[in-house]
């Protein structure tokens, strides 16, 4: 088995247009959630979100590209450009032949669906632009990354709701670890902050109307975000031989399925994924210093997740830190694990633990060190990133400082 | 005349050229318009003239609509505009 390291990272999300800006916001405990600026917002009951602002697609892409790039693809390409520039790889020859891109998204081109349904249903038009299908398809983002960077190996899109990115990155990790590929581009993207996207979530009645306060006794639901996170996973010796800067090592993962309920999470399913990741990574419970929680801010997730962590870690649950950065960037649904992996990298590399902001009242059912409100300096060797999706699909990644 | 100018404008935009670079004898291939560009041009033409163009991208050469040159496209559209006038 090969060792796998991260040699490039890129993002765009409500906290910032790149990795340095995002990490700075996380260190400062800044909140990227605000009033939604979208069409027909007055017909929504939920009017807040972690929206990407100060991003003018017209300044980044040309007209021809824009006819093919839904917002989730635009975010992906912005994040991929940062990650691939940082890693310094040029994909040619044998490297290109085996390097691929595996990305997560839950909804794909949601705003393209939304705009065109509006056009044919509300405006009564009988003709839509010819690129509606290639623009909205869930694999559009991965395909454009593959075309832009000449990635000719295995590429596909994973769609497992809120665990999409973690499942995608687990797959990319597996490909590099097994020796199939020397390098894989991976992560995920989501852009559901349009009228139809928010309205659909509103229907579930799990959304907060004021803030995302994970683990806080007075939490009242989740807040949607948008954006992308993209990484380059590279075989360790390959990265070392070319003197690449290594951000962190990916050391293991596990996936599990609750096989129980379509929306309610299961403690056992979550615990099996967490324990499985430790086993796969061959690390002991005492070594884990930080967990980036799924931490959605819903009653169901937060207490289930804390109970799962307490079960797996036993006495060590009280010595580790667990925070939810969704309190700052919102829940990026299929892209969330990718942006949250940045908090794990920051913990390992910079020794800074991103806080859970908006924390106001302790909840006895979430009695862990949730790093309330302020970032903390800490020496962390191993970090986990949790993702637990609707449908009962769980994926946990394990990272180590290098 | 108006149809001709509009078609040239649409074709030029697809080809990322100035309208003055597009002649009536230009073929789409010469202008660098690929199959996706062609489908997008047809869409723009339908929108501009509020007509329906009988064009099947699976088999462009056998469609009733002749796309061999800008001239045949203009002629085809002139006929469609006449025939489909409400």
């Amino acid at each position: 088995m090969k060792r796998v390291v991260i040699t490039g990272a890129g993002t765009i999300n409500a906290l910032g247009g790149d990795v340095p800006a995002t990490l700075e916001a996380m260190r400062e405990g800044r909140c990227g959630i605000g009033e939604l600026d979208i069409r027909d917002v007055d017909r929504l009951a939920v009017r807040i979100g972690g929206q990407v602002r100060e991003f003018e697609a017209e300044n980044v892409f040309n007209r021809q590209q824009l006819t093919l790039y839904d917002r989730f693809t635009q975010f992906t390409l912005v994040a991929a450009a940062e990650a691939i520039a940082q890693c310094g790889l040029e994909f040619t020859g044998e490297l290109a032949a085996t390097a691929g891109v595996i990305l997560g998204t839950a909804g794909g081109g949601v705003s393209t669906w939304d705009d065109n349904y509006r056009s044919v249903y509300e405006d009564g038009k009988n003709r839509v632009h010819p690129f509606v299908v290639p623009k909205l398809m869930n694999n559009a983002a991965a395909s454009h990354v593959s075309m832009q960077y000449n990635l000719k190996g295995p590429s596909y899109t994973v769609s497992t709701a809120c665990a999409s990115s973690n499942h995608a990155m687990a797959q990319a990790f597996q490909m590099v670890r097994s020796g199939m590929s020397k390098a894989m581009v991976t992560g995920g993207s989501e852009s559901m902050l349009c009228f139809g996207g928010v309205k659909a979530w509103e229907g579930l009645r799990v959304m907060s109307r004021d803030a995302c306060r994970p683990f806080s006794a007075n939490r009242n639901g989740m807040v949607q975000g948008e954006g992308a996170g993209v990484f380059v996973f590279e075989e360790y010796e390959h990265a070392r031989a070319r003197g690449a800067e290594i951000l962190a090592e990916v050391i293991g993962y596990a996936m599990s399925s609750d096989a129980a309920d379509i929306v309610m999470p299961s403690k056992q399913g979550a615990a099996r994924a967490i324990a499985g990741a430790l086993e796969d990574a061959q690390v002991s419970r005492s070594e884990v210093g930080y967990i980036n929680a799924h931490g959605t801010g819903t009653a169901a997730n937060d207490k289930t997740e804390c109970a799962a962590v307490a079960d797996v870690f036993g006495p060590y649950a009280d010595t580790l830190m667990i925070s939810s950065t969704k309190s700052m960037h919102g829940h990026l649904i299929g892209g969330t694990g990718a942006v949250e992996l940045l908090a794990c990298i920051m913990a390992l590399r910079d020794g800074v633990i991103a806080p859970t902001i908006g924390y106001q009242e302790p909840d006895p059912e979430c009695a862990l060190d949730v790093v309330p409100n302020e970032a903390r300096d800490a020496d962390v060797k191993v970090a986990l990133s949790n993702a637990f999706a609707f449908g009962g699909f769980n994926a946990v990644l394990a990272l180590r400082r290098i | 005349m108006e149809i001709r100018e509009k078609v040239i404008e649409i074709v030029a935009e697809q080809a990322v050229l100035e309208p003055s670079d597009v002649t009536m004898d230009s073929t789409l291939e010469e202008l660098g318009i690929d199959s996706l560009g062609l489908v997008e041009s047809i869409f723009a033409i339908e929108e501009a003239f509020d007509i329906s163009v009988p064009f099947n991208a699976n088999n462009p050469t056998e469609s009733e609509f002749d796309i061999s040159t800008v001239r045949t496209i203009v002629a085809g559209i002139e006929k469609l505009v006449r025939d489909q006038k409400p």
Side-chain angles (χ1 to χ4, degrees):
Chain A
M1 288 213 297
K2 312 286 187 188
R3 290 175 69 186
V4 183
V5 293
I6 302 175
T7 54
T11 191
I12 178 168
N13 63 81
L15 294 177
D18 56 21
V19 171
T22 300
L23 297 186
E24 186 189 304
M26 286 183 180
R27 276 196 298 270
E28 292 178 358
R30 210 183 298 148
C31 186
I33 293 166
E35 297 280 317
L36 282 175
D37 176 19
I38 56 174
R39 186 168 168 186
D40 292 337
V41 70
D42 53 315
R43 287 179 54 210
L44 292 168
V46 172
R47 297 180 184 179
I48 58 167
Q51 208 171 0
V52 170
R53 294 169 200 273
E54 291 166 27
F55 171 69
E56 299 292 337
E58 295 72 21
N59 298 339
V60 183
F61 304 108
N62 66 37
R63 193 191 63 86
Q64 285 294 80
Q65 291 172 318
L66 287 171
T67 61
L68 284 162
Y69 298 171
D70 179 271
R71 195 166 163 89
F72 94 106
T73 298
Q74 296 170 15
F75 290 156
T76 304
L77 288 168
V78 168
E82 186 184 8
I84 291 170
Q86 181 179 30
C87 84
L89 284 171
E90 278 207 31
F91 296 96
T92 56
E94 186 58 26
L95 176 65
T98 60
V101 47
I102 304 179
L103 297 176
T105 187
V110 176
S111 52
T112 299
W113 284 110
D114 202 48
D115 291 345
N116 286 281
Y117 278 146
R118 188 195 294 278
S119 162
V120 293
Y121 293 149
E122 185 178 319
D123 304 336
K125 282 197 65 171
N126 283 324
R127 184 184 299 126
V128 297
H129 191 277
F131 302 167
V132 172
V133 168
K135 191 173 177 181
L136 63 75
M137 62 192 191
N138 278 26
N139 61 313
S143 295
H144 287 294
V145 171
S146 146
M147 291 187 283
Q148 191 148 333
Y149 296 100
N150 195 38
L151 303 169
K152 296 180 169 171
S155 297
Y156 52 91
T157 295
V158 177
S159 190
T160 50
C162 312
S164 301
S165 282
N166 270 20
H167 275 113
M169 293 189 289
Q171 290 280 285
F173 167 65
Q174 183 63 20
M175 284 186 183
V176 178
R177 183 165 72 168
S178 71
M180 266 180 78
S181 300
K182 290 278 184 239
M184 292 290 293
V185 177
T186 187
S189 172
E190 200 71 71
S191 173
M192 287 195 187
L193 295 180
C194 56
F195 180 76
V198 177
K199 188 53 98 179
W201 277 102
E202 203 179 282
L204 264 171
R205 294 167 195 270
V206 294
M207 309 297 288
S208 170
R209 296 184 191 192
D210 52 8
C212 176
R213 296 186 202 88
F215 310 119
S216 188
N218 63 343
R219 66 188 177 276
N220 59 6
M222 54 176 273
V223 175
Q224 274 179 274
E226 65 174 355
V230 174
F231 302 90
V232 178
F233 284 10
E234 186 174 352
E235 194 266 313
Y236 173 64
E237 294 297 341
H238 189 269
R240 226 175 51 143
R242 65 188 188 87
E245 187 186 7
I246 293 171
L247 304 177
E249 179 174 4
V250 189
I251 53 174
Y253 74 97
M255 311 179 191
S256 70
S257 306
D258 299 343
D261 190 275
I262 194 67
V263 290
M264 288 305 286
S266 135
K267 182 180 77 168
Q268 289 78 11
R272 284 194 298 123
I274 297 168
L278 295 178
E279 193 180 333
D280 186 51
Q282 295 183 296
V283 293
S284 65
R285 281 147 178 72
S286 61
E287 288 177 86
V288 178
Y290 172 63
I291 299 176
N292 184 283
H294 191 56
T296 55
T298 61
N301 174 83
D302 295 2
K303 66 182 181 192
T304 307
E305 182 168 17
C306 289
V309 168
D311 273 13
V312 172
F313 286 89
Y316 299 111
D318 296 327
T319 60
L320 58 78
M321 292 166 282
I322 176 168
S323 70
S324 170
T325 51
K326 286 186 179 75
S327 55
M328 296 181 272
H329 50 63
H331 190 339
L332 277 75
I333 320 292
T336 212
V339 169
E340 290 166 27
L341 201 69
L342 292 168
C344 291
I345 293 173
M346 182 167 79
L348 297 169
R349 195 176 151 76
D350 306 332
V352 177
I353 309 299
T356 304
I357 69 164
Y359 188 83
Q360 294 170 334
E361 287 176 37
D363 177 353
E365 289 197 275
C366 304
L368 299 173
D369 179 0
V370 300
V371 198
N373 300 321
E374 280 180 26
R376 202 181 297 163
D377 292 330
D379 181 38
V380 173
K381 290 190 183 64
V382 175
L384 301 183
S385 185
N386 287 348
F388 310 128
F390 275 0
F393 294 166
N394 313 302
V396 175
L397 301 175
L399 273 66
R400 180 159 52 207
R401 186 170 71 200
I402 195 159
Chain B
M1 197 59 183
E2 198 187 304
I3 289 178
R4 185 171 125 172
E5 277 167 5
K6 187 68 194 166
V7 170
I8 286 178
E9 187 186 307
I10 288 168
V11 168
E13 195 184 353
Q14 270 304 319
V16 200
L17 293 171
E18 289 302 318
S20 55
D21 296 331
V22 178
T23 71
M24 290 299 273
D25 294 321
S26 302
T27 68
L28 298 181
E29 199 181 353
E30 283 166 9
L31 296 169
I33 294 176
D34 62 8
S35 62
L36 270 189
L38 171 59
V39 174
E40 212 186 356
S41 304
I42 301 265
F43 168 73
I45 286 166
E46 290 186 325
E47 290 282 283
F49 300 107
D50 195 20
I51 54 172
S52 173
V53 177
F55 172 78
N56 184 340
N58 294 300
N59 204 344
T61 52
E62 291 194 5
S63 296
E64 299 163 47
F65 190 70
D66 184 353
I67 52 153
S68 10
T69 63
V70 173
R71 189 184 311 280
T72 65
I73 293 172
V74 170
I77 292 166
E78 282 168 347
K79 180 170 186 306
L80 290 169
V81 170
R82 273 198 311 275
D83 294 351
Q84 295 181 16
K85 204 175 263 175

